Amino acid sequence: MTTKYTHCGICLAACGMEVEVEDNQIVSLRGDSEHPLTRGFLCKKGTACREMTTDPLRILHPYKKEGSDWRRISWDQAYEEISGKLGEIIDQYGPQSVGMYFGAGTATSSVKSVVAGAFLEELGTDRMYNVLTLEFSNRYLVMEAMYGHQFMLAQPDLEKTQCLLLFGSNPLVSLDHPGIVPSLKAFEKRGAKLIVVDPRKTETARIADIHAEVIPGTDLFLLLAIYSHILENALHDPQFLREHCVNHEALEGLQKLTPEAAETICGVPADTIRQIAEEFGKAESACAVAKLGIHTSRNCTLTYWLIEALNAVTGNVDRPGGLIFNPGAIDLTKVT
């Protein structure tokens, strides 16, 4: 029996895996305890990866539907018929009539999006869609407007931040960041604050120092009140804004909304709004992060822009404990 080391391809966390192989077959798999990020963690989907290769319902060959039945065909026939049909469509309707859709995660290959993009480019189309175009299109629009490229994505420095402000996210369940569970549980030990903005009392909200139970879709007004308190009480970083932010006057001149006025709209008590603003603005380092609860809500683009900008207003972009840029193994800003 041989031990192999790889990673799970189901989601973007790409957790490390330790796999036992015998006669070219997976015997067992588990989380890689020596992996520097995921440290042995592997969710239920990851532990079921073996079934992707052993399940009797797995499709191993191409099939063609004829009438109400499916008939097995060869790979050569499948390639020929698919390419022929694509050619007909392009000849008749033009290359932009062809698009591609794929799911999220690494899907067993971290370069799939690059290969897919190159394939579409050869066909003469740029119509590529995936699950992120349904759930996160506002995020990429904001990234392009704010940082100059849609894939110039930042992530929270969870190991060093002194205040994490989460909007619409339940990471103790979604596990959307490698090692996020032990990172969050270490907050209390080092005196860091966890603030959760969510209509529900989620698993993450239960361990938070502050849980703001916002009325769904009103996060925008909560944010405006937080900005108002931070700016009026000089808790922002004007030097950072002047040195790094174009049109920073727009941030400093946002329309004011008092915590009391915001309370009548978003349902979060005015004192809680002030407390959130004070904790975030006075923290040695802080970062505000939004996930699906924001990206699929009302006013999602403007709300997310304000969340990202909150890091800039307080000088917490590209610094330890704030938002940090991590291009990963493949820097998509260089290849897209």
Side-chain angles (χ1 to χ4, degrees):
M1 190 176 299
T2 305
T3 301
K4 303 285 187 179
Y5 294 91
T6 182
H7 69 274
C8 176
I10 292 177
C11 85
L12 296 174
C15 296
M17 295 197 303
E18 183 178 303
V19 185
E20 301 291 344
V21 178
E22 188 172 22
D23 296 330
N24 205 32
Q25 298 292 321
I26 297 175
V27 177
S28 65
L29 58 84
R30 64 189 70 86
D32 178 8
S33 60
E34 299 299 319
H35 194 282
L37 293 177
T38 54
R39 304 166 188 167
F41 176 81
L42 199 60
C43 78
K44 295 297 183 181
K45 292 180 181 179
T47 54
C49 278
R50 178 171 175 267
E51 298 174 24
M52 294 174 64
T53 62
T54 61
D55 194 293
L57 295 178
R58 181 187 180 193
I59 297 175
L60 301 175
H61 308 281
Y63 288 82
K64 180 180 180 180
K65 191 172 186 179
E66 295 182 346
S68 60
D69 298 322
W70 290 91
R71 179 175 65 86
R72 177 177 165 180
I73 61 176
S74 67
W75 284 104
D76 288 340
Q77 181 182 346
Y79 292 142
E80 183 176 353
E81 292 196 19
I82 293 171
S83 60
K85 186 63 176 178
L86 277 176
E88 292 176 10
I89 293 172
I90 292 172
D91 290 341
Q92 183 173 357
Y93 301 105
Q96 293 286 23
S97 63
V98 177
M100 177 183 292
Y101 179 88
F102 57 87
T106 53
T108 70
S109 173
S110 59
V111 298
K112 75 177 190 311
S113 60
V114 178
V115 174
F119 174 70
L120 290 180
E121 185 176 353
E122 287 299 310
L123 292 181
T125 177
D126 57 4
R127 306 273 176 102
M128 181 164 67
Y129 311 94
N130 70 352
V131 66
L132 300 181
T133 61
L134 300 176
E135 299 172 345
F136 290 101
S137 53
N138 67 308
R139 183 186 189 194
Y140 296 107
L141 179 64
V142 169
M143 293 299 96
E144 187 170 15
M146 186 168 286
Y147 300 124
H149 196 285
Q150 62 178 328
F151 292 138
M152 190 71 175
L153 302 177
Q155 65 187 55
D157 186 0
L158 296 176
E159 305 300 325
K160 297 179 181 178
T161 191
Q162 288 301 307
C163 182
L164 176 62
L165 176 55
L166 286 177
F167 286 82
S169 178
N170 186 18
L172 288 187
V173 173
S174 59
L175 305 170
D176 54 351
H177 190 284
I180 195 167
V181 173
S183 294
L184 291 179
K185 291 185 175 179
F187 271 37
E188 183 178 4
K189 181 180 294 186
R190 70 168 193 270
K193 300 294 183 181
L194 174 61
I195 304 171
V196 173
V197 178
D198 199 295
R200 296 192 308 116
K201 194 172 186 65
T202 63
E203 289 79 0
T204 307
R206 292 191 186 106
I207 69 167
D209 297 281
I210 302 173
H211 174 209
E213 296 185 61
V214 67
I215 294 173
T218 64
D219 305 78
L220 174 63
F221 303 98
L222 171 64
L223 277 161
L224 286 174
I226 291 173
Y227 270 95
S228 296
H229 188 85
I230 285 176
L231 294 171
E232 288 180 358
N233 292 274
L235 300 177
H236 62 303
D237 190 335
Q239 182 178 349
F240 181 90
L241 290 173
R242 289 193 300 269
E243 292 178 358
H244 301 287
C245 300
V246 177
N247 297 327
H248 60 83
E249 298 86 355
L251 291 175
E252 295 176 289
L254 284 173
Q255 183 175 345
K256 300 297 188 293
L257 185 68
T258 66
E260 284 76 17
E263 179 180 352
T264 65
I265 303 172
C266 68
V268 179
D271 286 343
T272 301
I273 296 174
R274 278 188 281 267
Q275 185 182 4
I276 293 172
E278 292 278 333
E279 292 285 0
F280 196 88
K282 291 181 178 180
E284 182 180 341
S285 61
C287 46
V289 180
K291 292 299 172 118
L292 197 57
I294 292 297
H295 299 309
T296 58
S297 70
R298 188 184 307 167
N299 304 312
C300 59
T301 302
L302 181 55
T303 301
Y304 182 58
W305 182 81
L306 285 175
I307 292 170
E308 282 289 329
L310 187 59
N311 298 292
V313 165
T314 53
N316 283 295
V317 175
D318 201 24
R319 58 162 292 194
L323 288 185
I324 53 177
F325 295 102
N326 178 14
I330 299 175
D331 187 349
L332 293 179
T333 64
K334 300 294 193 299
V335 297
T336 57

